[in-house]
Amino acid sequence: MSPRVSPSGAPSVPDSGGPGDPGVDGAKGKSTRERILDIALELFTEQGFDKTSLREIADRLGFTKAAIYYHFASKEDILMSIHLRFHEFGREMLTQMGDGPATPEMWAGLLDRAIDMILEHRTLFLFHERNQAALENLHRERHDAEHEDLQAKFRQALSSENIDLEGRVRMAAAFGAVMASLAVAGDAFADVPSDKLGLVLRKVVADLLRV
């Protein structure tokens, strides 16, 4: 039987996972695709997207480049897949918001859970901060559509007529404080322990929302 071919045209090879399932890491239960993304996330965060080669990712995993091409057509495809993990946070937040009217109390609970999620995955947010130039070149239909959905939902919440202008500004400022501290300025606080940073952030959010 002839080998499968990836979208890049490179011949595919079987996954090199754990015993009994060639596509799964027997120790951690992760698919080979997820392991590739985990290692790429580490390398892109440590040394940048442009300075990381597919060969380095493959070597860190003990694979050949052909094994990488089995799952991803290019290094840019890996970048996109890591970035879409970031979108999962947005979708989770939208789910938690629901369809009911926004309130400062709802916003406080939402941001409290967001702080937990972001601190648990700080590397992903550091990756975004350190690879902004490469990420700006990601323009694909699915990617752009998800951005628009997320932004529209937040704008809707911040435009609620059930909350006065000051309350809505405080909600926007609290959200900005969380994102600026953990995403935009991630490197500035990279050495601060997560529990300490989370405690300070929750105090700031409470002060802004007055709840």
Side-chain angles (χ1 to χ4, degrees):
M1 182 173 65
S2 60
R4 290 170 54 190
V5 176
S6 75
S8 67
S12 298
V13 296
D15 290 344
S16 51
D21 187 343
V24 176
D25 183 326
K28 299 181 179 180
K30 287 191 174 183
S31 69
T32 299
R33 187 177 189 280
E34 289 301 311
R35 293 168 60 204
I36 292 171
L37 292 177
D38 287 345
I39 293 300
L41 173 61
E42 291 179 13
L43 290 172
F44 291 166
T45 304
E46 292 170 3
Q47 58 194 36
F49 173 78
D50 292 333
K51 295 182 179 179
T52 301
S53 68
L54 287 177
R55 170 60 63 190
E56 288 178 279
I57 297 172
D59 287 347
R60 181 74 70 91
L61 287 159
F63 291 171
T64 63
K65 282 180 66 175
I68 303 293
Y69 281 125
Y70 183 88
H71 298 279
F72 300 97
S74 65
K75 192 171 71 166
E76 286 71 22
D77 278 350
I78 295 176
L79 181 70
M80 172 63 84
S81 294
I82 294 174
H83 176 62
L84 288 177
R85 286 181 169 183
F86 186 80
H87 282 219
E88 293 176 9
F89 291 103
R91 286 193 293 272
E92 176 65 20
M93 291 182 70
L94 292 183
T95 299
Q96 293 176 8
M97 288 174 68
D99 297 323
T103 65
E105 291 74 20
M106 180 276 286
W107 210 248
L110 181 70
L111 291 177
D112 188 66
R113 292 187 291 274
I115 290 171
D116 283 337
M117 288 191 295
I118 295 172
L119 290 176
E120 184 180 353
H121 301 278
R122 289 180 75 179
T123 300
L124 184 61
F125 287 81
L126 287 173
F127 152 80
H128 273 78
E129 172 61 18
R130 296 173 182 177
N131 292 277
Q132 290 184 21
L135 289 166
E136 286 175 359
N137 295 322
L138 292 179
H139 295 289
R140 303 185 186 178
E141 183 175 350
R142 175 188 172 192
H143 170 261
D144 292 344
E146 289 198 354
H147 265 299
E148 292 174 4
D149 288 344
L150 295 173
Q151 291 170 359
K153 185 67 174 180
F154 282 116
R155 284 195 297 269
Q156 179 183 355
L158 294 173
S159 301
S160 173
E161 296 181 355
N162 297 317
I163 305 172
D164 62 21
L165 177 60
E166 180 179 341
R168 287 184 281 138
V169 170
R170 287 182 178 279
M171 286 164 57
F175 178 77
V178 171
M179 297 308 295
S181 299
L182 295 179
V184 179
D187 269 324
F189 305 116
D191 295 330
V192 179
S194 292
D195 56 348
K196 182 176 182 180
L197 183 57
L199 183 65
V200 173
L201 261 177
R202 286 182 168 86
K203 182 179 184 300
V204 170
V205 168
D207 288 344
L208 286 169
L209 293 175
R210 291 183 177 176
V211 296

